Amino acid sequence: MQIAGTVEAPNPMSATGPASKQRNLLAACIAHALHDGYTDGLYAFLPIWQAQFGLSYAGLAVIRALYYATMGGLQLPGDRLLRGLSARAALALATAIAAAGFVVIALPFGLMGLCAGLVVAGVGSSIQHPRGSLLVSETYGAASRGPLGIYNFSGDLGKATLPAIAALLLPLLAWRPVAGMMAMLGLVVAAGLVALAPVGSAIGSDGTTKVSTGRGKGGFGILAVIGGLDTATRMGYLLFLPFLIHGRGGTSATVGLGLALLFIGGALGKATCSWLGQHLGVIGSVLVTEGATAVLIAATLLTPLVPMLVVLPLLGIVLNGTSSVLYGTVPELAPGRDTGRAFAIFYTGVIGSGGLAPIVYGVIADHSSRTVGMLAAAATALAIMPLVLALRPYLGSPRAS
């Protein structure tokens, strides 16, 4: 069935059967789960790195930003460089490079080795995001909104598992062996992707998929800004959450539990926001989720440890669910109908924001308090609400707006 505001596009994947489409989606989802697990698994290491290397909140955010800045800054160059590679080669290469980064992190090279490993891992993840998204979009054409939601949901499964496993292992093992185990997992997944992903190029030679009748770059620009602010809110809150839990008397295992509860809620948020999107549209659902995000962030600051843990899954639903609605709108508003480039630009914005925003929030916390830094993240969520209203004229479907 054709979505309103879109046109079906002939592309190399349009003739694939259901089994091939499922294999393509599964390959993209496995890669996404691992890379998102890598990304958010870093949060479990932050308190240990802060103690070992004597870092402030802002310094810790800078260390973490090495991964995010590399991942975000190389989205567009990586998209252009790898357009001639098959999906199998691109996804396997991305995963192998990211795993190599964690190998470097696990080696006893001190702070400089940690920084170098984070940069290498960021290079790998910069390849995965646009290639995986475009593989799904090319495979399903105009019907890609639902599969893209599944693709994003898979990332949350990685976020819910790897950080929790890392946090549970850290009290039992030193942090370097835990990083080494994460590297081994990446190498296993890279080998599996070689067997699973399609052999031929699943990406058009120019990366273009005509799946939208969006109304110009203005709408896409607003969408990218909203995505950046949404990511800033999420990453800012995650920067402080381990310290908030420790401040309430929680242990490293409690930090792992808290992260798992938040990420499980985030995974549920994909389905919840999909339902909201069907009933409220893009604008209505984003207004609801961002308003609820601000309220629930404030609630976690006012509650003791156990009630706070109860709130975290609810916060995860709205904190992470918005992204599914935003990602699904990218093909509709893609400038020049170049979906591959649009995804690369969008990921550059949201990942760059995810790298820079915690530094800003960290500076705020260093010069005031952790509470003020977390309230700044909540205020960012509220700032999205007028922006999403400005997106209404650019949406091609009445239901979408």
Side-chain angles (χ1 to χ4, degrees):
M1 183 175 69
Q2 186 168 324
I3 300 176
T6 64
V7 291
E8 189 69 47
N11 61 68
M13 302 305 298
S14 61
T16 58
S20 296
K21 289 184 177 182
Q22 291 171 5
R23 284 171 61 88
N24 292 352
L25 180 60
L26 180 60
C29 287
I30 290 174
H32 195 200
L34 177 78
H35 285 263
D36 274 21
Y38 274 175
T39 301
D40 286 4
L42 296 177
Y43 287 104
F45 294 87
L46 294 184
I48 299 175
W49 291 342
Q50 184 185 45
Q52 179 165 341
F53 300 112
L55 301 171
S56 65
Y57 285 124
L60 198 64
V62 170
I63 293 296
R64 176 188 164 277
L66 291 173
Y67 178 91
Y68 259 84
T70 306
M71 181 168 59
L74 295 181
Q75 297 284 316
L76 284 169
D79 175 66
R80 286 193 291 265
L81 181 63
L82 298 179
R83 285 192 173 187
L85 288 182
S86 68
R88 177 174 72 171
L91 292 177
L93 177 63
T95 305
I97 293 175
F102 274 87
V103 170
V104 176
I105 292 172
L107 296 175
F109 292 153
L111 181 60
M112 294 304 297
L114 171 62
C115 294
L118 289 172
V119 170
V120 174
V123 171
S125 290
S126 73
I127 298 171
Q128 182 273 145
H129 275 102
R131 292 296 94 186
S133 298
L134 187 55
L135 172 61
V136 176
S137 181
E138 288 277 357
T139 299
Y140 288 90
S144 63
R145 181 179 289 270
L148 282 171
I150 296 173
Y151 170 76
N152 285 302
F153 173 80
S154 69
D156 288 291
L157 292 180
K159 293 176 183 179
T161 54
L162 275 186
I165 293 172
L168 291 174
L169 290 175
L170 285 172
L172 305 176
L173 303 170
W175 66 268
R176 293 187 190 278
V178 176
M181 294 172 67
M182 294 176 69
M184 291 177 60
L185 176 62
L187 294 174
V188 171
V189 171
L193 288 172
V194 171
L196 180 63
V199 177
S201 176
I203 311 302
S205 60
D206 61 354
T208 302
T209 308
K210 299 177 180 179
V211 296
S212 80
T213 56
R215 302 179 184 177
K217 290 185 178 181
F220 180 77
I222 295 172
L223 182 70
V225 171
I226 292 172
L229 293 177
D230 178 64
T231 301
T233 302
R234 182 165 56 255
M235 298 310 176
Y237 183 77
L238 282 169
L239 173 67
F240 297 113
L241 180 59
F243 303 99
L244 179 64
I245 294 174
H246 277 302
R248 300 285 169 82
T251 64
S252 294
T254 312
V255 171
L257 174 62
L259 290 172
L261 290 172
L262 187 73
F263 296 143
I264 289 171
L268 294 175
K270 301 300 184 183
T272 302
C273 288
S274 177
W275 180 86
L276 279 177
Q278 293 175 4
H279 291 77
L280 301 181
V282 173
I283 293 176
S285 60
V286 173
L287 289 174
V288 169
T289 55
E290 297 298 347
T293 294
V295 171
L296 291 175
I297 286 177
T300 62
L301 294 172
L302 301 174
T303 52
L305 179 60
V306 174
M308 183 188 71
L309 293 175
V310 174
V311 171
L312 286 178
L314 300 177
L315 175 58
I317 290 174
V318 293
L319 186 67
N320 210 42
T322 309
S323 62
S324 183
V325 178
L326 301 179
Y327 293 153
T329 310
V330 169
E332 181 179 348
L333 298 178
R337 298 181 179 178
D338 187 344
T339 307
R341 186 170 182 272
F343 273 120
I345 294 172
F346 188 82
Y347 277 119
T348 297
V350 299
I351 293 172
S353 173
L356 295 176
I359 299 176
V360 176
Y361 296 134
V363 171
I364 292 173
D366 287 338
H367 289 81
S368 54
S369 68
R370 183 178 62 219
T371 298
V372 174
M374 298 181 78
L375 288 175
T380 305
L382 294 177
I384 293 174
M385 300 176 78
L387 285 174
V388 76
L389 292 175
L391 190 62
R392 187 188 303 271
Y394 300 97
L395 295 173
S397 166
R399 168 170 288 191
S401 60

